[in-house]
Amino acid sequence: MRIGYYPGCSLLGSSREFDESTRAVAEAIGLELVTVPDWNCCGASSAHVLDHQLSLALPARILALAEAAGLTELLAPCAACYNRLCSARTELEADPAAREAISRIIELPYQGRVKVVNILEVLDRCQDRLKAKATAPLGRKVACYYGCLLVRPPRVVAFDRPEDPMSMDRLMVLAGAEPLAWNHKTECCGAAFSVTRTDLVARMSGRIVAGAAKAGAEAIVVACPMCHSNLDMRRPECNALLQADHQLPVLFITQALGLAMGLDPVRLGLQRHMVPALLQPAAAGAKA
Amino acid sequence: MTDTFEPKITAFVCNWCTYAGADLTGTSRIKYPSNVRVLRLPCTGRIDFMLLAKAFARGSDGIIISGCHPNDCHYTSGNYHARRRWMVYRNLMDFMGIDTSRITFSWVSAAEGAKWAELVNEVTEGIRAMGPYTEYQELAHAGVE
Amino acid sequence: MSRIGVFTCHCGENINGTVDCGKVAESARGVPGVVHSVDYKYMCSDPGQSLIKEAIREHRLTGVVVAACSPRMHEPTFRNAVAEAGLNPYLCEMANLREHCSWVHEKGEATTAKAADLVRVMVEKVKHDQPLQPIRVPVTKRALVLGGGIAGIQAALDIANAGHKVVLVEKSPSIGGHMSQLSETFPTLDCSQCILTPRMVEAARHPNITLYTYAELEKLEGFIGNFKATIRRKARSLDEKLCTGCGLCTTKCPNKKIKDEFNEGLATRGAIYVPFPQAVPNKPVIDKLNCTYYKTGKCKLCEKVCPTGAIRFDQEDELVTLDVGAIVLATGFKLMKTDQFPEYGYGKYKDVVDGMQFERLASASGPTAGAMKRPSDGKAPETVVFVACSGSRDRSKGVPYCSKVCCMYTAKHAMLYKHKMHHGKAYVFYMDIRSSGKDYDEFVRRAIEEDDVSYIRGRVSRIYEEDGQLIVQGADTLQNGRPVEIKADLVVLATAVQAQDGSEALAQKLHVSYDPYHFFAEAHPKLKPVETNTAGIFLAGACQAPRDIPETVAQASGAAAKVAGLFSRDELTREPVVAVVNRLPAPTFSYCVGCFLCQSACPYQAIEQEQIKARDGSVIRTLAKVNAGLCQGCGTCVATCRTKAIDIQGFSNEQIFAEIMTL
């Protein structure tokens, strides 16, 4: 099984562990990741705020390169990259004139034939292989946090239930963990305000951390580098505002699955987290 | 200013749905090109092959046939007969060499004023792009001095 | 020799503003056969009609074309005028210069040319028109009312009081509809059941009304004045003549866990049940889907305890066929359910309820006997949030229309709550307040000023449950969009009013049009609100559009008046647009070869066989013949006939060819 792979800037930078763990899990289940040659930044939040054409051209170039490389699907683990790629693809699908214009700008033929998928969709397809390899069930209570970009806007990403998604929860069941029903699954973490308005992130991410802790979670599982960064790196600010000391770690979905498959925590990048995450998977059913 | 070709479009519509829908387009003041001439019939089931052939022979460049949606025919099944006959007429027309892309078969209900305008717009522009339809007229008048 | 008169109407500026009526009249003068052509400002007015009548007499006209609005508007008007002048009304046609021309095209030569074309088409048609005589059919003076809510009950009573027979059919075991579920009604806070039950009893007892409850329309055939309806009376598993309504069986049924529809799922009932204490008829029904005996063959407790032996497990559905002359559709509405709202929990929070569920909670005959107790734990809710416009006025996720009644009933609910819990806090999140009826706005002001209900203008973006309370997150747009978060014990969603389940299927059975939301379509939005496009079928109540009780009652009486008008004559005159099989002298007799393809094509079974016999009685030919009483004039047979032996008067082949020839 092979699939196109777009790591994007964050997976090679501050969220390196997402890339490491994704590759580790992919290898373990026999999924070949074919990185798009000569890929560029997708534009993330800056492009679509500054220039509409740029926000279309950057993702279009990535998709055109993927198509030229003979790929039919492109996996973008970073939720922001995924959302930008889907948005550009949806807009260009409906507008042949725009497709032509963009093709001229990127100097590549853009046909719109490549489908964009997120990490949860791909893992969902590999359920059987994951189940077969999950030899070390996590046995923990976890809060699955989806953030906004994976499920919104519903007409663009067309993925899972926008208000109460369950795809990550189902994967955690495969990993032998207990996903909890909790109230902040899709609440915004503060996103790119991490740098410009850290106080807002402290409040918004703080609410999420507190909500997860209240529900009884031992860890939060995410599928987005921005969410991870806000819930993990900004934990001291959150705790300061909440006047609490929440130490529950934040794991990428691929890290959680990797642990359940008995992979080495260092290989999964768990040592890179701010909030200590080198926990041992408990025996199935045992309390933390 | 160049002369743009103004196609002649004849529309055979049923009284209960499409004619009423076209009335609604009027009451809602939605504009569409004036090339279409609507001929009222009690039901699309009334439509005979000869009516269509005659329309082409008399110089129509395009034809619209429109009635009630399946299941909603005022006379229960007229539109089903029309739909089935249409399949047969198409074969006959292909055999005779009539350009079937110049005929549009559609369902427009009495509540779909906007759809009627859209349909007329689409067909008018489509036929305009195809140009005048003279082949059938020539065929029909062949041998007549 | 044709002598056609063409009368072009300006319709004020409606036609003349875009079409040059003078030119149209001029062009008509040049058409062979036209002897008189004028234009005038308002053809449908008295002077306009006089113009036509005088012209008929003066110029000895043999046909008239009125070029004006749509024939669907004024064909009867002009045909009447023409008849008054002594010309057969079927020799008058209309060219649609308004809805199909002036209103949809820009002013200009092309538009005027089109108008002239349309007039020429109709002139050709008129030249081939035959003078026709209307067909008379008898009228069955019995009405069928479908739906036993307040609309159906009112219509039935009005028709019955006018002296005609009515059959009232209701699909649930009792009449009363949604109004019977309400606790109090706005703007008077009248007890709903108190004002409804006398009407229910009256309908049941009225000598002219036959009540079929637990029954549905199976099939409808025929046409106005002469419908044949087949009603399926579902088996109650009860001999109604023996049942005294004592209710013992309902108390003894061991299977009491079934969700109670009348209480909107907030309570349970047995498998043998009476929907509510004031039900009419007050006789139980066995729910076959949930009854232990019907599912497993065991139990039959009800049969054992019944003092009169009225239980009949072997009872089958009964099909009843009726002749009726008119039908009133009064099938009502349903409310959107709370599981349609992802932001409000996908229906999983027990304490997020819809408006009807709140009515049951507030009702003295409801699951809490009217005490304010919330569904999850029975606690008295100290804080209640009401969310208006849930699902309505929402193009992206709900329905685009306004459900009309929610602003009023939300104010009512808030007031009822405050009357029962004086120290409770009530909040209403609203977009606009629509309280346009008589005494309605004063009613809403009462809620705000006297009962201290807090109205917050803004939407609710999310509701979730935490620590046994519902966190309601909204915004206050009158304070610059300030986020508002309320911890509520109970949330009431004013969910959208929708068409009843099964409306589409019913409309198709009756050949009645419906809109994209499955509300039945009226014949004209302004001027024919109680008629449908199907002659003889009328509308009353919320099945046509969201509606409150006063308007429903008014509309029901309106429909009843139409029915009474229909029944005021013994005979109906029908349009003679019917098919005719041609007849020729012997030995041809007809172009018809007797293949009877037309018979199989006809949706009304209007084609019969006629045998042509020789003098000795032997049959020479069997030909098709049209029963003019049944024929509806669709023309399907005409297109089917291989030899063109059958044609329609008013839309004959000659006429349509003539129309095409002018183009």
Side-chain angles (χ1 to χ4, degrees):
Chain A
M1 234 173 75
R2 68 203 292 267
I3 195 169
Y5 187 63
Y6 175 74
C9 316
S10 50
L11 261 69
L12 295 190
S14 51
S15 295
R16 206 174 309 160
E17 63 274 20
F18 197 6
D19 181 59
E20 289 168 340
S21 53
T22 302
R23 287 184 191 280
V25 168
E27 191 188 301
I29 59 173
L31 173 67
E32 186 195 343
L33 303 173
V34 180
T35 308
V36 177
D38 194 29
W39 60 265
N40 52 274
C41 168
C42 71
S45 22
S46 13
H48 70 78
V49 163
L50 294 171
D51 184 296
H52 186 71
Q53 270 214 320
L54 183 64
S55 77
L56 286 177
L58 289 169
R61 184 172 179 277
I62 300 163
L63 291 169
L65 288 169
E67 196 177 320
L71 300 163
T72 50
E73 277 190 322
L74 189 60
L75 162 62
C78 166
C81 300
Y82 166 72
N83 198 292
R84 291 312 321 151
L85 286 163
C86 281
S87 299
R89 187 181 182 277
T90 307
E91 194 175 327
L92 290 170
E93 192 170 38
D95 192 346
R99 283 204 293 278
E100 253 192 68
I102 292 294
S103 297
R104 264 179 274 128
I105 293 175
I106 61 178
E107 293 173 356
L108 284 169
Y110 176 80
Q111 316 251 36
R113 294 215 190 102
V114 178
K115 239 191 86 184
V116 182
V117 288
N118 65 45
I119 188 73
L120 299 175
E121 279 182 83
V122 172
L123 291 171
D124 191 51
R125 281 184 218 164
C126 305
Q127 268 185 61
D128 297 324
R129 296 188 201 198
L130 288 167
K131 223 194 319 212
K133 297 272 182 188
T135 50
L138 293 173
R140 300 270 189 191
K141 290 187 166 55
V142 297
C144 294
Y145 175 66
Y146 295 76
C148 2
L149 298 169
L150 283 172
V151 294
R152 303 202 272 273
R155 276 189 209 137
V156 167
V157 301
F159 171 67
D160 212 337
R161 302 196 305 180
E163 298 289 337
D164 184 19
M166 294 299 274
S167 41
M168 216 192 301
D169 296 60
R170 284 194 296 266
L171 288 168
M172 289 317 293
V173 168
L174 281 180
E178 186 192 328
L180 300 165
W182 64 300
N183 289 317
H184 298 81
K185 267 186 175 175
T186 55
E187 296 298 283
C188 178
C189 64
F193 285 123
S194 191
V195 174
T196 49
R197 287 290 303 270
T198 318
D199 60 315
L200 284 178
V201 170
R203 178 151 59 88
M204 294 171 83
S205 289
R207 244 202 290 219
I208 296 165
V209 170
K214 188 158 186 194
E218 298 168 74
I220 302 176
V221 185
V222 302
C224 165
M226 189 87 249
C227 302
H228 188 275
S229 165
N230 282 343
L231 294 170
D232 179 64
M233 192 171 77
R234 295 296 178 204
R235 184 65 63 84
E237 287 87 343
C238 294
N239 277 338
L241 187 68
L242 291 167
Q243 298 198 318
D245 184 35
H246 296 296
Q247 290 299 321
L248 61 164
V250 186
L251 269 66
F252 282 104
I253 179 70
T254 38
Q255 291 176 321
L257 285 170
L259 283 178
M261 285 161 44
L263 298 179
D264 171 28
V266 172
R267 188 160 167 231
L268 297 170
L270 282 161
Q271 77 286 5
R272 298 192 197 280
H273 295 194
M274 306 289 181
V275 177
L278 280 165
L279 37 71
Q280 295 300 314
K287 288 237 171 109
Chain B
M1 203 177 90
T2 48
D3 269 326
T4 24
F5 157 61
E6 287 303 333
K8 238 166 67 160
I9 317 260
T10 308
F12 295 94
V13 306
C14 84
N15 176 52
W16 301 96
C17 283
T18 306
Y19 196 89
D23 272 357
L24 182 60
T25 318
T27 8
S28 319
R29 310 291 199 281
I30 306 175
K31 304 271 185 269
Y32 53 85
S34 57
N35 308 63
V36 68
R37 302 284 182 268
V38 171
L39 294 184
R40 180 165 76 131
L41 300 168
C43 179
T44 45
R46 174 73 185 81
I47 296 172
D48 196 56
F49 175 75
M50 287 311 298
L51 300 178
L52 307 176
K54 203 59 155 183
F56 276 138
R58 290 293 299 176
S60 287
D61 302 298
I63 292 181
I64 297 176
I65 302 173
S66 183
C68 306
H69 287 260
N71 247 331
D72 294 344
C73 177
H74 181 82
Y75 301 105
T76 322
S77 52
N79 57 356
Y80 289 138
H81 285 282
R83 185 168 63 175
R84 276 178 242 150
R85 274 189 218 130
W86 170 235
M87 302 319 298
V88 177
Y89 292 166
R90 265 178 60 152
N91 283 339
L92 178 58
M93 285 181 177
D94 281 338
F95 180 74
M96 285 172 68
I98 298 180
D99 186 355
T100 47
S101 62
R102 289 181 178 270
I103 308 184
T104 310
F105 196 94
S106 169
W107 312 122
V108 174
S109 83
E112 290 177 316
K115 186 170 174 195
W116 173 247
E118 233 179 87
L119 179 68
V120 173
N121 253 317
E122 221 180 278
V123 171
T124 309
E125 291 319 309
I127 303 288
R128 197 196 297 275
M130 283 189 222
Y133 188 49
T134 49
E135 286 89 350
Y136 185 68
Q137 272 183 296
E138 288 160 13
L139 184 69
H141 293 132
V144 177
E145 294 314 325
Chain C
M1 227 339 284
S2 292
R3 297 180 63 79
I4 314 288
V6 177
F7 302 86
T8 306
C9 183
H10 293 212
C11 194
E13 280 304 295
N14 275 314
I15 300 180
N16 202 36
T18 329
V19 168
D20 187 338
C21 293
K23 274 219 179 104
V24 172
E26 174 81 41
S27 117
R29 247 168 248 135
V31 177
V34 174
V35 298
H36 180 73
S37 174
V38 293
D39 57 288
Y40 181 68
K41 256 194 170 338
Y42 295 105
M43 269 343 283
C44 56
S45 64
D46 265 346
Q49 291 188 41
S50 299
L51 264 182
I52 303 176
K53 291 190 242 189
E54 276 155 30
I56 292 174
R57 287 189 268 262
E58 204 182 305
H59 297 274
R60 292 171 291 122
L61 297 179
T62 58
V64 163
V65 172
V66 181
C69 50
S70 170
R72 296 172 65 90
M73 193 83 220
H74 272 313
E75 193 173 67
T77 315
F78 292 115
R79 285 198 168 161
N80 275 335
V82 158
E84 278 171 24
L87 184 64
N88 185 291
Y90 295 96
L91 297 172
C92 169
E93 298 282 354
M94 285 186 72
N96 189 337
L97 297 191
R98 194 180 68 172
E99 281 85 339
H100 283 196
C101 194
S102 71
W103 272 354
V104 290
H105 302 316
E106 303 296 337
K107 184 174 172 147
E109 266 182 51
T111 306
T112 303
K114 175 169 172 173
D117 267 355
L118 292 175
V119 170
R120 271 207 316 277
V121 165
M122 290 330 262
V123 168
E124 290 307 315
K125 182 169 190 232
V126 165
K127 282 189 194 165
H128 296 278
D129 261 337
Q130 299 293 323
L132 301 172
Q133 296 305 321
I135 300 166
R136 296 185 196 283
V137 285
V139 179
T140 308
K141 294 190 193 182
R142 184 186 292 118
L144 174 64
V145 177
L146 293 175
I150 182 64
I153 291 172
Q154 183 67 44
L157 285 173
D158 284 346
I159 300 172
N161 285 331
H164 303 295
K165 298 263 180 255
V166 182
V167 174
L168 177 56
V169 174
E170 162 59 43
K171 81 173 179 215
S172 61
S174 165
I175 53 174
H178 283 304
M179 190 174 167
S180 60
Q181 293 175 287
L182 303 178
S183 82
E184 285 163 51
T185 59
F186 57 79
T188 48
L189 294 184
D190 270 321
C191 153
S192 184
Q193 293 255 3
C194 306
I195 54 179
L196 178 65
T197 39
R199 297 259 168 123
M200 285 165 61
V201 171
E202 207 191 322
R205 291 227 191 104
H206 202 294
N208 278 343
I209 300 180
T210 308
L211 191 59
Y212 289 146
T213 53
Y214 211 48
E216 286 185 65
L217 179 72
E218 178 94 345
K219 192 164 64 151
L220 184 72
E221 294 164 301
F223 52 95
I224 180 175
N226 300 274
F227 290 109
K228 196 178 3 228
T230 308
I231 311 288
R232 176 180 290 274
R233 300 186 64 193
K234 298 187 291 209
R236 290 178 104 102
S237 305
L238 191 75
D239 183 337
E240 286 178 69
K241 290 198 258 335
L242 292 176
C243 173
T244 60
C246 71
L248 194 57
C249 52
T250 62
T251 58
K252 296 293 184 199
C253 177
N255 183 358
K256 290 237 165 67
K257 294 282 173 56
I258 306 162
K259 269 202 179 339
D260 181 356
E261 296 89 345
F262 186 77
N263 279 310
E264 298 290 327
L266 294 174
T268 53
R269 60 164 172 79
I272 184 167
Y273 69 106
V274 174
F276 55 101
Q278 300 88 346
V280 169
N282 204 331
K283 308 249 159 101
V285 141
I286 297 186
D287 173 3
K288 284 188 181 177
L289 288 173
N290 287 303
C291 165
T292 310
Y293 172 72
Y294 278 110
K295 289 208 296 201
T296 64
K298 303 206 179 81
C299 187
K300 284 196 172 190
L301 243 178
C302 49
E303 194 182 43
K304 296 190 192 98
V305 303
C306 175
T308 57
I311 309 287
R312 290 275 174 280
F313 283 112
D314 52 353
Q315 197 179 63
E316 304 254 319
D317 292 353
E318 188 195 334
L319 288 175
V320 176
T321 316
L322 298 165
D323 286 328
V324 296
I327 300 170
V328 177
L329 270 174
T331 48
F333 68 97
K334 76 163 190 229
L335 271 189
M336 199 181 261
K337 294 271 175 282
T338 55
D339 59 4
Q340 298 296 304
F341 301 92
E343 303 93 282
Y344 304 162
Y346 291 104
K348 66 179 185 236
Y349 303 131
K350 289 220 179 86
D351 296 323
V352 174
V353 299
D354 66 42
M356 198 55 88
Q357 289 175 314
F358 186 82
E359 293 281 349
R360 296 315 304 151
L361 289 173
S363 171
S365 64
T368 62
M372 285 281 97
K373 289 186 188 164
R374 63 184 200 165
S376 62
D377 56 11
K379 216 176 70 139
E382 301 288 331
T383 305
V384 181
V385 169
F386 299 89
V387 184
C389 293
S390 295
S392 309
R393 306 178 63 190
D394 187 342
R395 238 178 265 261
S396 54
K397 294 191 308 277
V399 293
Y401 54 82
C402 167
S403 292
K404 195 162 196 185
V405 293
C406 336
C407 282
M408 286 305 291
Y409 78 61
T410 295
K412 175 186 76 171
H413 286 172
M415 289 205 284
L416 290 180
Y417 166 71
K418 290 289 290 184
H419 293 174
K420 291 177 202 273
M421 292 195 58
H422 299 291
H423 302 293
K425 299 202 73 54
Y427 298 92
V428 176
F429 279 92
Y430 72 99
M431 295 210 287
D432 296 286
I433 305 278
R434 295 179 168 182
S435 51
S436 49
K438 189 166 180 179
D439 294 328
Y440 280 20
D441 206 66
E442 296 93 312
F443 181 77
V444 178
R445 298 303 316 171
R446 250 179 75 188
I448 300 172
E449 288 161 16
E450 287 177 25
D451 292 315
D452 203 28
V453 175
S454 299
Y455 268 71
I456 304 172
R457 191 182 179 275
R459 307 291 306 266
V460 169
S461 60
R462 207 171 155 234
I463 301 177
Y464 60 93
E465 209 172 57
E466 199 171 71
D467 296 333
Q469 282 195 300
L470 294 156
I471 314 297
V472 178
Q473 293 181 323
D476 188 344
T477 59
L478 294 178
Q479 292 201 40
N480 275 323
R482 183 176 69 88
V484 174
E485 190 175 281
I486 301 179
K487 291 194 168 62
D489 300 304
L490 178 68
V491 173
V492 184
L493 302 179
T495 58
V497 168
Q498 295 183 295
Q500 191 70 276
D501 281 331
S503 289
E504 190 182 22
L506 183 60
Q508 287 168 354
K509 267 191 203 155
L510 268 53
H511 302 305
V512 162
S513 326
Y514 51 96
D515 71 13
Y517 309 101
H518 297 181
F519 287 111
F520 301 131
E522 61 288 338
H524 190 276
K526 291 244 188 259
L527 297 179
K528 293 191 177 173
V530 297
E531 295 159 83
T532 60
N533 269 325
T534 313
I537 303 187
F538 305 95
L539 295 172
C543 61
Q544 187 229 344
R547 184 152 287 131
D548 56 26
I549 295 170
E551 282 182 5
T552 298
V553 172
Q555 200 188 21
S557 292
K562 294 279 181 194
V563 172
L566 185 61
F567 290 175
S568 64
R569 291 160 287 177
D570 289 319
E571 257 184 355
L572 257 187
T573 46
R574 282 192 52 228
E575 288 281 308
V577 177
V578 292
V580 175
V581 183
N582 81 340
R583 288 287 184 269
L584 300 164
T588 322
F589 296 111
S590 176
Y591 291 148
C592 171
V593 298
C595 72
F596 291 104
L597 265 179
C598 52
Q599 199 175 45
S600 44
C602 177
Y604 299 99
Q605 287 97 57
I607 311 265
E608 295 164 348
Q609 296 190 354
E610 187 184 27
Q611 295 182 320
I612 308 288
K613 296 200 173 120
R615 245 175 277 197
D616 62 5
S618 57
V619 176
I620 309 175
R621 294 269 295 279
T622 310
L623 300 175
K625 180 165 181 254
V626 178
N627 176 337
L630 292 176
C631 173
Q632 295 297 301
C634 70
T636 307
C637 54
V638 178
T640 312
C641 181
R642 301 185 290 201
T643 51
K644 297 287 161 256
I646 193 169
D647 211 347
I648 287 209
Q649 300 176 145
F651 287 99
S652 68
N653 276 320
E654 251 193 272
Q655 285 177 308
I656 305 182
F657 278 128
E659 290 180 27
I660 299 174
M661 294 297 278
T662 63
L663 291 177

